[in-house]
Amino acid sequence: MGSRMANNLIEDGYNLTVHDVDHNAMKIFSERGILTKESPFEVADSSDVLITMLPSSNHVLDVYTGRNGLLSHGNTLGPWLFIDSSTIDPQMSRKLSATIADCSLKRKRDGFEVPAMLDAPVSGGVLAAQAGTLTFMVGGLEEAYVAAKPLFLSMGKSTIYCGGAGNGSAAKICNNLAMAVSMLGVSEALALGQKLGIAASTLTKIFNSSSARCWSSDTYNPVPGVMDGVPASRNYDGGFASKLMAKDLNLAAESAKEVGLEFPLTSQAEKIFTQLCNDGHGMKDFSCVFRHYYPGNDEL
């Protein structure tokens, strides 16, 4: 995701400095003449705006506060804006935002006396990151959001301001919760239909012209052979990994507990996708739940 987002920024004329724990990823950029650094702190030391895209809350915490992290050399910072596009715990987003707001700037910027942070997770996946058609869900200071909007629109097609710090992260886990439950519902209905003698392609046409229509049926169908260009058409390779869906459902479940809610669909979805990972399918796209949770139903 991050490399493709970076490519779109480069194509729009932005000067980038790049760091990744994967040296092969950095080599691809350095061979194109893009400056690379050996640590997050070195990137921050030479940047006005810093964007992170990482797999989990622990990775984000390490990059920001770990050894040679973005905030590891005192509370006077070079970048005036930090944008985190990772999908993480909203409370962690809020804590990091508060920590950054307590810092000062090496170089003052008009309208900003202290550095700002935006939590800006995305929807659309790897293909949208490559095509520059991501949707950004953004939380943080509205003034920072307005200033950063050109950056978002270099990487995506739309950007939605969600309110204060952490609200972008909250919106993303709610989106992925709905996406997971929707995929399970579509998979279960298609599996049942096939067992009752209705081809998945026929049932999909019915869904897509009636009240069952949704993204999981008309854009990301989970049944092999029904739709071209989706993970189901290539053995569930690529796309959004089941292990990331399990992680996001865990974030949703924990967030529900924090606010005193019981969500049975969230809990069940988390169990199903966690089991997929335990069964060795964590790197497959999450739509593989159709094949591995409802076996014997592939379209012929």
Side-chain angles (χ1 to χ4, degrees):
M1 292 289 290
S3 64
R4 291 157 177 83
M5 293 161 68
N7 285 334
N8 287 321
L9 289 169
I10 293 166
E11 288 178 9
D12 266 12
Y14 289 99
N15 295 319
L16 262 62
T17 302
V18 176
H19 169 74
D20 197 296
V21 292
D22 181 352
H23 283 266
N24 289 328
M26 286 205 295
K27 184 178 179 183
I28 292 171
F29 284 97
S30 63
E31 288 176 346
R32 296 165 55 195
I34 306 301
L35 187 64
T36 61
K37 295 290 185 178
E38 292 299 314
S39 73
F41 172 75
E42 291 179 51
V43 175
D45 200 42
S46 61
S47 302
D48 293 320
V49 176
L50 202 137
I51 303 172
T52 48
M53 170 59 99
L54 299 158
S56 72
S57 299
N58 287 338
H59 292 101
V60 172
L61 190 62
D62 185 56
V63 164
Y64 273 83
T65 64
R67 185 173 177 268
N68 291 321
L70 302 174
L71 309 179
S72 62
H73 286 58
N75 63 353
T76 303
L77 306 178
W80 70 271
L81 178 61
F82 294 79
I83 299 172
D84 181 40
S85 287
S86 316
T87 301
I88 64 171
D89 176 11
Q91 297 307 325
M92 178 170 289
S93 294
R94 289 170 180 142
K95 289 175 184 176
L96 284 174
S97 180
T99 298
I100 287 170
D102 283 338
C103 296
S104 59
L105 283 171
K106 288 181 181 178
R107 301 172 293 277
K108 300 297 182 186
R109 178 184 168 90
D110 290 346
F112 292 90
E113 295 297 322
V114 297
M117 182 177 187
L118 297 171
D119 46 285
V122 301
S123 179
V126 173
L127 293 178
Q130 186 166 333
T133 57
L134 293 167
T135 293
F136 286 86
M137 296 155 261
V138 188
L141 283 175
E142 190 168 7
E143 296 88 342
Y145 165 73
V146 171
K149 199 168 183 179
L151 287 169
F152 293 133
L153 293 179
S154 287
M155 300 179 283
K157 66 177 181 180
S158 63
T159 173
I160 301 168
Y161 180 62
C162 302
N167 282 14
S169 294
K172 177 59 187 293
I173 63 172
C174 291
N175 180 81
N176 281 17
L177 163 59
M179 183 169 69
V181 172
S182 168
M183 182 59 74
L184 289 172
V186 168
S187 296
E188 198 158 294
L190 289 170
L192 176 61
Q194 285 183 305
K195 290 297 186 184
L196 295 175
I198 309 172
S201 54
T202 300
L203 199 51
T204 294
K205 290 176 184 177
I206 294 168
F207 287 178
N208 293 344
S209 59
S210 66
S211 56
R213 183 176 185 174
C214 63
W215 182 83
S216 298
S217 69
D218 71 3
T219 303
Y220 215 77
N221 197 282
V223 183
V226 170
M227 185 177 292
D228 294 331
V230 296
S233 69
R234 52 178 185 267
N235 197 33
Y236 301 102
D237 291 327
F240 186 62
S242 294
K243 70 173 186 178
L244 295 179
M245 180 57 83
K247 181 263 294 184
D248 291 353
L249 287 166
N250 176 260
L251 290 175
E254 290 301 314
S255 294
K257 288 179 185 177
E258 287 174 6
V259 294
L261 296 174
E262 292 186 11
F263 284 170
L265 293 180
T266 304
S267 299
Q268 187 62 27
E270 182 189 8
K271 289 177 184 177
I272 290 171
F273 283 101
T274 299
Q275 188 60 53
L276 271 184
C277 298
N278 292 341
D279 290 343
H281 309 300
M283 295 305 295
K284 292 290 187 179
D285 180 76
F286 80 107
S287 62
C288 79
V289 69
F290 173 82
R291 171 177 288 172
H292 298 296
Y293 200 74
Y294 308 100
N297 284 288
D298 281 8
E299 178 82 334
L300 298 177

